[in-house]
Structures are given as C-alpha cells and as structure tokens.
Amino acid sequence: MRSVLRSRLLLPLALMGALGCGEDEPEVLTVDLPVVARVGTEAFACGKTYTNVGTTGTTYEPMDFRVYVHGVRLVTRDGQEVPVTLTEDGTWQHSGVALLDFANNDGLCKQYTEGMNTSLRGTVPQGDYTGLRFTVGVPEELNHGDPTTLGAPMGDTSLHWNWQGGFVFARIEGRTRGIPQHVLHVGSTACAPPPEGQTQGTAGCANNNRPEFHLDSFDVTKNKVVMDLGTLFADSNLDANAPSTSPGCMSSPNDADCGPLFQRMGLAFGGQSADPAVQTFIRAE
C-alpha cells in the first residue's frame, strides 16, 4: 500500500518536469475570452429584425458585423499590464491581430464569409488578473501594407479601403426603415501620401481612429466582452442621412452622422474630444 501511495505522489511531479514547469520557467495561463454581440438586450444574429433602435425607434436588420482587435492585455490587481500572446490559428488571429466576426450568411448577411469568430484566444503568465484592455483596429505598422501578403485575417479585401487609408477596423451594416444599407465603417482618415521616394504606405494619418477599451473589472474565468449595437446607435437617427454624405458613417471628419457614433465608441470627432465616460459600445459582463 505504501509503495502505491508513493507512486501516486511522484506521478504529478514527473508530469510537471515533463511539461517544463521548473522554477526558472513561469507557469502559463491559457485564456479564451468570449466576445458576444448584442442589440440592446437581444443577442445579435443575422436574419433577425430588431425594433426600437436609435433616436427614431427604427427597425434594424443586420448585414455585417466584423471588428479587428489588437493590443490585448490583462491587468494585474496592482495595475500592471501584461500582453496576451494571441494564438496563431491561420484564420482569425495573426501577428497579434484578431478578427471578431459575428455575421454568417443568414438573412441579409450574404456579402461576406459564413464563418464566425467570437473569442480572443491566447496565453499569458500566471497571475492575479482583474482587468482587460485592448484596441479596436489594425496596428499602424500593418495598416498600410498589402493585405494580400499579410495573411488571414488581414487578407480580406472587403475590410480594406486602399494602401493609403488602410483597413476598415470595424464594419457594421444593416437595413433600417429609412436607409436600405446603413453603414458604419471605422478606419483611419486624412492619411498623407507616402514619404518621398516610396510608392506605398503613408506619412501619417490625422485621424487614427483606433479606440482603446479598458474593462477594469474583468475576471478571465467568468466575464465576457459585450459589443452592443443598441447602445452604439442610441443617439443616432438611422432613418436619415446628412446631406451629400455616405449612407451612415464612413469615418469622414465632415460627416455629422459620425459624431454620436464616434462618441459612443470613445473616439474624438471634430471639436468633440474622446470621453471614455460616454463610451457605451463595449462593456464587460
């Protein structure tokens, strides 16, 4: 009996050694952070019709909902940011960038991919984490490259304007009572031509439009990230459009329809400064 008990005690130690969990190697925590899409209190789904959306209480039928995310960090109890190494999966996560895709081919969502991705997956050192931070968008060092050479998920040209403007960081589209295709395309604008002697890239963008999100109370074992179109559209009239502008918001600094949408995303617009206190698009639950 004594030899059996000794064998049972030694087995976990042998496994720890085989896994390389020595004193000099920090233990690794694998995280799978769920991200859910909603329209108010209802789950987002292509093929559904939502009511009482925006200032006019319009109907909303989804056509697309995709968002790029990078710079994912967990925050320790003492406030230290620890980067999450996103898992390279060949489809949704690459080079520290993840594409969240909530749209399949149901209903009016017929233009793009059938696949969906609703989580952020990666590893961090073991720690006492109480917060989550990330940035919506593609980082500047990748934003003006050739999407056909960057690899998935950055190879989708429907999420790319051109080499000077770069990627569409968030593409959210739907049909309302007043507009056949209301669009919200968030990306960098007022991007300068490339430096002298270069044929691609940019000398910089006046409006980078990469909102940063800080979820200060986030338990990686219990909580999820919520992206809520109901709160995003709460101050917007989705049935009308500012004269001589795109149907919705294409991030133009001269498009008044972008003002309330950018405010809800925590972005500056025109003379309106970014205010994290009124950012209601993304929250933790």
Side-chain angles (χ1 to χ4, degrees), residues 39 44-54 56-65 106-112 171-185 229 233 237-240 247-248:
V39 184
F44 173 92
C46 292
K48 291 186 66 174
T49 298
Y50 300 90
T51 59
N52 197 30
V53 180
T56 60
T58 192
T59 57
Y60 187 83
E61 298 173 77
M63 302 176 78
D64 198 4
F65 191 172
D106 292 340
L108 300 179
C109 300
K110 299 295 187 184
Q111 306 174 66
Y112 308 110
R171 181 166 184 155
I172 301 168
E173 301 179 358
R175 181 169 69 187
T176 72
R177 281 197 300 260
I179 300 179
Q181 187 174 10
H182 179 279
V183 305
L184 171 57
H185 294 180
L229 297 188
F233 294 146
N237 179 354
L238 303 187
D239 286 326

Side-chain angles (χ1 to χ4, degrees), residues 182 184 232-233 236 249 257-266:
H182 179 279
L184 171 57
L232 176 63
F233 294 146
S236 297
C249 168
D257 294 321
C258 292
L261 295 169
F262 272 40
Q263 184 178 41
R264 292 282 181 159
M265 293 190 80

Side-chain angles (χ1 to χ4, degrees), residues 87-282:
T87 303
E88 299 268 339
D89 62 10
T91 304
W92 302 109
Q93 299 188 159
H94 179 51
S95 298
V97 179
L99 176 62
L100 297 165
D101 188 341
F102 306 105
N104 56 16
N105 279 338
D106 292 340
L108 300 179
C109 300
K110 299 295 187 184
Q111 306 174 66
Y112 308 110
T113 60
E114 184 177 1
M116 300 172 67
N117 181 48
T118 59
S119 68
L120 300 169
R121 300 166 300 282
T123 57
V124 289
Q126 286 279 2
D128 183 14
Y129 298 113
T130 60
L132 171 66
R133 297 175 182 174
F134 58 85
T135 303
V136 164
V138 173
E140 181 64 21
E141 61 268 22
L142 297 174
N143 191 39
H144 305 283
D146 182 350
T148 64
T149 66
L150 292 176
M154 290 172 284
D156 188 343
T157 55
S158 70
L159 289 170
H160 190 264
W161 279 331
N162 51 53
W163 59 261
Q164 189 166 331
F167 285 87
V168 179
F169 303 153
R171 181 166 184 155
I172 301 168
E173 301 179 358
R175 181 169 69 187
T176 72
R177 281 197 300 260
I179 300 179
Q181 187 174 10
H182 179 279
V183 305
L184 171 57
H185 294 180
V186 178
S188 297
T189 61
C191 298
E196 186 175 354
Q198 297 184 20
T199 58
Q200 292 186 345
T202 177
C205 302
N207 309 303
N208 287 316
N209 293 338
R210 293 182 182 87
E212 174 88 8
F213 295 92
H214 291 196
L215 307 181
D216 293 329
S217 297
F218 193 92
D219 185 332
V220 297
T221 67
K222 298 178 181 178
N223 291 133
K224 55 182 172 287
V225 179
V226 177
M227 295 188 174
D228 186 350
L229 297 188
T231 58
L232 176 63
F233 294 146
D235 295 332
S236 297
N237 179 354
L238 303 187
D239 286 326
N241 198 67
S244 303
T245 65
S246 302
C249 168
M250 297 280 283
S251 296
S252 169
N254 299 317
D255 188 344
D257 294 321
C258 292
L261 295 169
F262 272 40
Q263 184 178 41
R264 292 282 181 159
M265 293 190 80
L267 282 170
F269 181 80
Q272 167 187 288
S273 60
D275 184 357
V278 297
Q279 185 286 115
T280 55
F281 171 45
I282 294 179

